[in-house]
C-alpha cells in the first residue's frame, strides 16, 4: 500500500472511532438538571445487569454554594425530596466544598462542587445511577 493510501485509511479509521465514541456517550437523563454554560466531560460510564452508573465532570465560575443551590432546586423539581447536604470550609487549606445527594430507591445522584485555594473555577463532579 502506498503512503497516501495508508494515511487516508488511517484518517478514515480515526474518524470512525471518533464517531463511534460520540455515539456511545450517554445522554443525560431528563431528571438530571443541566448546568448552564458548561459542557460536561464524561469520566465514566458503567453498565451491568444491576445498574447504570455515570460520572461527569465540569468547571464553572460559579461558587460551590451556587452549584449546590442549582442542583438542589433542579432535583427537587424532578421528585427528589430532602436531599442530604454536606459543606466543607477549611480556612487553613483554603478549600470550600459543597456536596449534595439524593436517592429515590431507583435513581441516585451525587454532586460535589470544590473550589481550591487561589483557583478561579469550581470543579464539579456529577454522578448518577439508575438501578435496573
Amino acid at each position: 500500500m502506498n503512503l497516501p493510501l495508508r494515511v487516508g485509511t488511517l484518517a478514515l479509521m480515526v474518524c470512525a472511532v471518533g464517531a463511534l465514541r460520540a455515539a456511545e456517550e450517554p445522554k443525560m437523563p431528563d431528571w438530571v438538571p443541566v448546568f448552564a454554560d458548561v459542557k460536561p466531560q464524561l469520566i465514566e460510564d458503567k453498565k451491568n445487569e444491576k445498574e447504570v452508573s455515570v460520572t461527569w465532570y465540569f468547571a464553572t465560575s460559579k461558587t460551590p454554594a451556587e452549584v449546590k443551590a442549582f442542583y438542589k432546586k433542579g432535583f427537587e423539581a424532578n421528585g427528589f425530596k430532602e436531599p442530604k447536604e454536606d459543606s466543607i470550609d477549611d480556612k487553613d487549606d483554603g478549600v470550600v466544598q459543597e456536596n449534595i445527594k439524593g436517592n429515590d430507591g431507583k435513581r441516585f445522584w451525587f454532586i460535589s462542587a470544590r473550589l481550591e485555594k487561589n483557583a478561579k473555577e469550581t470543579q464539579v463532579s456529577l454522578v448518577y445511577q439508575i438501578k435496573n
Side-chain angles (χ1 to χ4, degrees):
M1 211 185 276
N2 64 24
L3 184 60
L5 187 54
R6 286 183 191 172
V7 171
T9 303
L10 179 60
L12 183 58
M13 289 173 56
V14 168
C15 289
V17 168
L20 287 173
R21 182 179 173 107
E24 293 173 6
E25 190 166 291
K27 180 181 178 282
M28 200 78 72
D30 293 340
W31 55 270
V32 176
V34 178
F35 204 81
D37 301 324
V38 299
K39 180 162 180 15
Q41 298 173 9
L42 181 63
I43 301 298
E44 184 175 64
D45 179 16
K46 294 192 303 187
K47 296 175 184 137
N48 61 39
E49 61 280 348
K50 294 182 181 181
E51 68 184 14
V52 172
S53 180
V54 182
T55 304
W56 297 91
Y57 162 84
F58 65 88
T60 179
S61 60
K62 302 292 185 188
T63 67
E66 290 173 309
V67 172
K68 181 174 86 170
F70 169 82
Y71 280 106
K72 181 177 181 178
K73 181 179 178 184
F75 278 114
E76 284 178 346
N78 284 302
F80 292 90
K81 303 299 179 206
E82 300 181 27
K84 294 183 177 22
E85 303 176 43
D86 180 41
S87 298
I88 299 169
D89 189 356
D90 189 333
K91 305 271 191 250
D92 294 333
D93 289 336
V95 173
V96 175
Q97 183 169 327
E98 296 288 348
N99 302 314
I100 185 169
K101 64 183 176 178
N103 186 346
D104 70 358
K106 180 159 173 65
R107 305 172 297 171
F108 166 84
W109 58 270
F110 173 78
I111 305 293
S112 177
R114 182 179 178 95
L115 182 61
E116 299 280 341
K117 182 179 182 178
N118 300 323
K120 295 183 184 343
E121 292 187 311
T122 298
Q123 309 300 311
V124 181
S125 296
L126 163 64
V127 178
Y128 67 82
Q129 297 173 335
I130 306 167
K131 292 184 180 181
N132 295 329

